[in-house]
Amino acid sequence: MDLSFQARPFAFDRVFKTVPTHDTNPDRDATSLAIELELLQADMARRDDAHRAELARARCDGFEAGLVHARADRETALLAAIDALNAGVEAMTDDLGETRAHLARDAAELARVAATQLAAHTLALAPTAPIDAAIGRALAQVSRGTELVVRVHPDLLSDVTDRITLRQAQDRRRLNLHVEADASLAPGDARIDWDEGGLYLDRAAREAVVGNEFETLLAHHHAVPGECSVQ
């Protein structure tokens, strides 16, 4: 048995080709990193600018929206205030109209009472003054020299005579006036007669006319209490 064998060499080594993943040049690696860093910083700067611009637009939009809302609220509040003011003015106008109507009625009543009191006071102080005024009106209607007969209450005969004497002293023409007592006439009344006409002075009638005027005024205000113009 032949135990001899022939040994052959075994190949323990192989040749491999590897592709270098990194540049072995340290200067080149630093330059690349610097470029990448600059690119990243530029991108971050753009992102920051875009973020700030978007934030500014959002703030502007929010401000505009708030401003529009505030204006709408202001307009609503203003219209409500105007409506309330108009309602208040209308209520005040109604109250003022009613107040003025009451004041007008009270004033008319006061004027009527005052006129009555003044007339009575005037007649008490100078009862012959209205008669003298009536004589003046009669003289203005007649021609020169016309005879006039003045009839008055006996209590006023002397005073009317004195009035005629004073009138004659102040008039250049000769007045043909005669005074007669008439007990049928009330104190303050008089009747002046001449050939072509006459004049009757009625105190009660004068007071009635004045009273009727005031009564008409009072009745008008009672009928239209709300008729009032406010400016």
Side-chain angles (χ1 to χ4, degrees):
M1 179 178 205
D2 188 4
L3 296 175
S4 61
F5 59 88
Q6 198 175 22
R8 291 180 293 182
F10 182 79
F12 287 98
D13 57 341
R14 288 193 178 187
V15 177
F16 296 95
K17 292 183 179 181
T18 59
V19 179
T21 57
H22 298 287
D23 195 345
T24 57
N25 189 348
D27 295 335
R28 188 174 181 180
D29 291 342
T31 302
S32 300
L33 290 175
I35 293 173
E36 291 179 3
L37 181 60
E38 290 179 358
L39 292 175
L40 289 174
Q41 289 177 343
D43 185 62
M44 291 180 62
R46 286 194 298 268
R47 291 176 181 272
D48 288 342
D49 292 340
H51 177 72
R52 284 193 292 269
E54 189 65 26
L55 183 61
R57 283 194 296 270
R59 288 177 177 174
C60 183
D61 292 341
F63 178 78
E64 290 293 335
L67 186 60
V68 171
H69 184 71
R71 287 174 177 172
D73 290 344
R74 183 191 63 183
E75 293 294 333
T76 302
L78 183 60
L79 290 176
I82 291 175
D83 291 339
L85 180 60
N86 288 334
V89 170
E90 290 178 358
M92 291 177 60
T93 300
D94 294 339
D95 293 341
L96 182 59
E98 184 177 355
T99 301
R100 290 188 62 179
H102 285 302
L103 289 176
R105 290 194 296 269
D106 293 343
E109 179 64 23
L110 179 61
R112 184 181 67 81
V113 174
T116 302
Q117 294 296 327
L118 287 175
H121 184 66
T122 301
L123 186 61
L125 293 179
T128 59
I131 299 175
D132 183 60
I135 293 174
R137 294 194 297 273
L139 290 173
Q141 300 178 37
V142 300
S143 58
R144 183 186 297 269
T146 301
E147 181 181 6
L148 281 75
V149 178
V150 181
R151 295 180 173 83
V152 296
H153 189 272
D155 292 344
L156 300 180
L157 182 63
S158 177
D159 293 337
V160 173
T161 301
D162 293 340
R163 285 271 185 171
I164 291 177
T165 301
L166 179 61
R167 178 178 289 276
Q168 179 63 72
Q170 296 174 351
D171 200 326
R172 295 180 179 179
R173 61 180 177 172
R174 176 63 181 174
L175 301 178
N176 194 2
L177 297 173
H178 304 280
V179 184
E180 296 181 1
D182 188 343
S184 65
L185 297 174
D189 292 351
R191 189 172 71 248
I192 305 173
D193 297 322
W194 60 92
D195 292 340
E196 293 81 8
L199 187 151
Y200 183 62
L201 187 64
D202 189 345
R203 171 189 172 187
R206 295 197 308 273
E207 293 179 351
V209 170
V210 174
N212 288 335
E213 290 295 328
F214 282 106
E215 289 297 335
T216 301
L217 180 62
L218 291 173
H220 172 72
H221 284 287
H222 279 294
V224 285
E227 184 177 340
C228 175
S229 60
V230 179
Q231 299 179 353

